[in-house]
Amino acid sequence: MWSRRQGRLRPVVCGVEELRRRRREREPRARREQQLVSKRLLRDDAPEEAGEGCVSVILGETEVQQLLRQAQRGTEEKRERALVSLRRSLQHPETQQTFIRLEGSMRTLVGLLTSNQALLQLEAARCLHELSHSEQSTVAEACLPATSYLLTYLSSHSSDFIELCLYTLGNLIVESEAVRRQLLPQGIVPTLAACIQSPHVAVLEALGFALSQLLQAKEAPEKIIPSILASTLPQHMLQLLQPGPKLNPGVAVEFAWCLHYIICSQVSNSLLIAHGALSTLGLLLLDLAEAVQRTDDAGLELLACPVLRCVSNLLTEAEVETVGGQMQLRDERVVAALFILLQFFFQKQPSLLPEGLWLLNNLTAKSPSFCTSLLSLDLIEPLLQLLPVSNVVSVMVLTILCNVAEKGPAYCQRLWPGPLLPALLQTLFLSDTEVVGQSLELLHLLFLYQPEAVQVFLQQSGLQALERHQEEAQLQDRVYALQQTALQG
């Protein structure tokens, strides 16, 4: 019995690979589920539209038919006014359903969209935009005849019109596979690649949104992402994420999420690494750390979150080793920046702490140099201060400490003495099995490489703490082995 227990206790088993596997399976999927229902709505009514007589109302078939007729004849001003009324009414789901049921309504709207009168085109596009924001998939399907024209108008000379078309396409793309199936052979990827060279920030932000919607399609890894990687989009996305005076936060957030979805697909992350993605994102992390020290703007976490995820996932790729990817991240500077962000999250956005800790986990899992940076910058105690935040955070903190400890005696010697053992003893009194299990792994590494830790453990009632868990099926083998090690020590 003893030999079997001893054999199962391996000195370097600290759950890093298992945590990484679970994280990579869970996180991308969770983010996609949140984003699939995300749509954007542009409404920029002129002040005079808000006056009397312009109140948004629900219309029936007769009223919709009347507005469509008025929009097709009469002076341009009267036609535009009819479309404005229709557009405002299309804010209501009831009118949207009435509109798509009405025979010829979409054909009429597409005819106005393709007219040679700019104001009528714009108002027709705004009507389509209202429809695209519907929560009903049938409404998106009804807009299918207009999508080819919306794609064509991305080459328009009006940045406002391009922005509107991009947001409308983004809303429709995420809702309808039929829309995506129609737009892909019509060249949506090269068209978006042309749009990314626009000098207009609003267009770039809208493009990032539309692209992120396209990247979340269930067929993206097979049918969409290969085309995107073969285009100039990845290089341009990385350029837009370069830190400096030209970096626009809104644009950067959109394209950081685009990169995240591409990386999660694992279609060809080696290409992104070859394009310098790790170096660019590493520099952006340094820039974000400087920014949070200058301002209390909580909006910075909107960019920090996808950037942290991108770097974390890229670090798991085998190509990182061959291109010296970790060296591109400049050990001490990245670790210091990461702790500045962790402190910022701790104060402003605790839910993002796991994002930063997961990156620290991936940095320290294979790299002694990052572990050395953690020790030389005296960051063990600040790391331990995060233990009470949540069980998820506790497991990640303990996993990172296991990464350090498993590097051998020299690293355990730097961990000891200090606040580590008292913190570990406190975690042993918790009821969460995963937290306790990770604490046991770390204790085993300490006992293995720093034998004097055993005596201090005994002096501080360590055995009593272990006894709390000796009947728990998931922990009893490790508890028993540690008890024997402590008694023999």
Side-chain angles (χ1 to χ4, degrees), residues 281-314:
L281 294 167
L283 290 172
L284 187 52
L285 276 179
L286 299 180
D287 195 61
L288 282 168
E290 290 181 13
V292 300
Q293 292 177 298
R294 294 193 304 266
T295 177
D296 289 332
D297 182 11
L300 288 167
E301 86 279 356
L302 297 175
L303 179 56
C305 182
V307 171
L308 288 166
R309 289 188 183 190
C310 285
V311 178
S312 296
N313 283 322
L314 283 177

Side-chain angles (χ1 to χ4, degrees), residues 193-406:
C195 279
I196 204 171
Q197 300 180 58
S198 170
H200 302 286
V201 168
V203 169
L204 292 174
E205 194 167 344
L207 170 61
F209 168 73
L211 184 59
S212 71
Q213 301 289 72
L214 188 62
L215 287 166
Q216 292 172 85
K218 63 179 183 294
E219 70 274 16
E222 295 80 24
K223 298 182 179 178
I224 298 170
I225 292 176
S227 300
I228 288 172
L229 290 172
S231 73
T232 58
L233 278 166
Q235 297 97 307
H236 285 294
M237 282 192 279
L238 289 170
Q239 287 173 9
L240 291 170
L241 291 170
Q242 289 278 359
K246 292 184 179 180
L247 179 75
N248 179 272
V251 172
V253 167
E254 297 295 349
F255 285 107
W257 281 115
C258 289
L259 272 181
H260 171 65
Y261 297 130
I262 293 173
I263 292 166
C264 286
S265 75
Q266 296 184 285
V267 171
S268 182
N269 287 339
S270 57
L271 179 66
L272 294 176
I273 293 169
H275 283 319
L278 269 176
S279 178
T280 298
L281 294 167
L283 290 172
L284 187 52
L285 276 179
L286 299 180
D287 195 61
L288 282 168
E290 290 181 13
V292 300
Q293 292 177 298
R294 294 193 304 266
T295 177
D296 289 332
D297 182 11
L300 288 167
E301 86 279 356
L302 297 175
L303 179 56
C305 182
V307 171
L308 288 166
R309 289 188 183 190
C310 285
V311 178
S312 296
N313 283 322
L314 283 177
L315 284 173
T316 65
E317 298 294 330
E319 289 81 4
V320 171
E321 302 294 332
T322 60
V323 300
Q326 291 197 345
M327 292 303 294
Q328 296 177 33
L329 293 178
R330 305 178 185 182
D331 299 352
E332 285 205 357
R333 290 184 63 193
V334 166
V335 172
L338 195 46
F339 267 82
I340 291 170
L341 290 172
L342 287 172
Q343 188 62 33
F344 175 74
F345 296 154
F346 181 68
Q347 295 172 353
K348 303 285 185 179
Q349 200 80 28
S351 63
L352 290 182
L353 281 171
E355 306 295 346
L357 290 170
W358 187 245
L359 174 53
L360 189 57
N361 170 67
N362 284 0
L363 287 170
T364 55
K366 295 181 181 179
S367 170
S369 60
F370 280 108
C371 293
T372 300
S373 298
L374 201 61
L375 294 167
S376 61
L377 294 171
D378 294 324
L379 295 174
I380 299 302
E381 188 165 357
L383 197 57
L384 292 172
Q385 290 171 358
L386 300 177
L387 283 173
V389 172
S390 70
N391 290 335
V392 171
V393 168
S394 293
V395 170
M396 302 194 80
V397 167
L398 293 165
T399 304
I400 292 162
L401 292 170
C402 280
N403 292 344
V404 177
E406 71 175 359

Side-chain angles (χ1 to χ4, degrees), residues 86-244:
L86 177 62
R87 184 244 304 172
R88 293 175 69 84
S89 180
L90 286 172
Q91 294 173 13
H92 297 283
E94 297 87 347
T95 306
Q96 292 172 358
Q97 291 296 325
T98 300
F99 181 87
I100 65 170
R101 286 196 304 266
L102 198 59
E103 185 178 357
S105 59
M106 186 57 67
R107 184 170 59 251
T108 300
L109 194 56
V110 170
L112 292 163
L113 177 69
T114 57
S115 71
N116 58 4
Q117 293 174 290
L119 290 177
L120 295 181
Q121 276 188 311
L122 182 60
E123 279 306 325
R126 285 175 171 169
C127 288
L128 284 166
H129 183 66
E130 291 292 344
L131 290 168
S132 77
H133 197 256
S134 171
E135 295 180 0
Q136 301 297 320
S137 58
T138 53
V139 178
E141 298 284 345
C143 294
L144 190 61
T147 55
S148 300
Y149 299 103
L150 292 170
L151 185 63
T152 300
Y153 291 142
L154 295 185
S155 303
S156 164
H157 295 296
S158 167
S159 61
D160 289 342
F161 196 42
I162 294 172
E163 179 191 9
L164 180 62
C165 291
L166 281 168
Y167 279 120
T168 305
L169 283 170
N171 289 343
L172 295 173
I173 283 167
V174 80
E175 189 70 59
S176 170
E177 185 177 355
V179 170
R180 299 192 296 271
R181 203 164 47 237
Q182 176 166 296
L183 290 175
L184 283 170
Q186 291 177 352
I188 187 172
V189 172
T191 303
L192 296 181
C195 279
I196 204 171
Q197 300 180 58
S198 170
H200 302 286
V201 168
V203 169
L204 292 174
E205 194 167 344
L207 170 61
F209 168 73
L211 184 59
S212 71
Q213 301 289 72
L214 188 62
L215 287 166
Q216 292 172 85
K218 63 179 183 294
E219 70 274 16
E222 295 80 24
K223 298 182 179 178
I224 298 170
I225 292 176
S227 300
I228 288 172
L229 290 172
S231 73
T232 58
L233 278 166
Q235 297 97 307
H236 285 294
M237 282 192 279
L238 289 170
Q239 287 173 9
L240 291 170
L241 291 170
Q242 289 278 359

Side-chain angles (χ1 to χ4, degrees), residues 58-66 89 94-95 98-99 102:
I58 298 171
L59 299 181
E61 284 191 13
T62 303
E63 291 90 347
V64 171
Q65 284 178 324
Q66 184 179 0
S89 180
E94 297 87 347
T95 306
T98 300
F99 181 87
L102 198 59

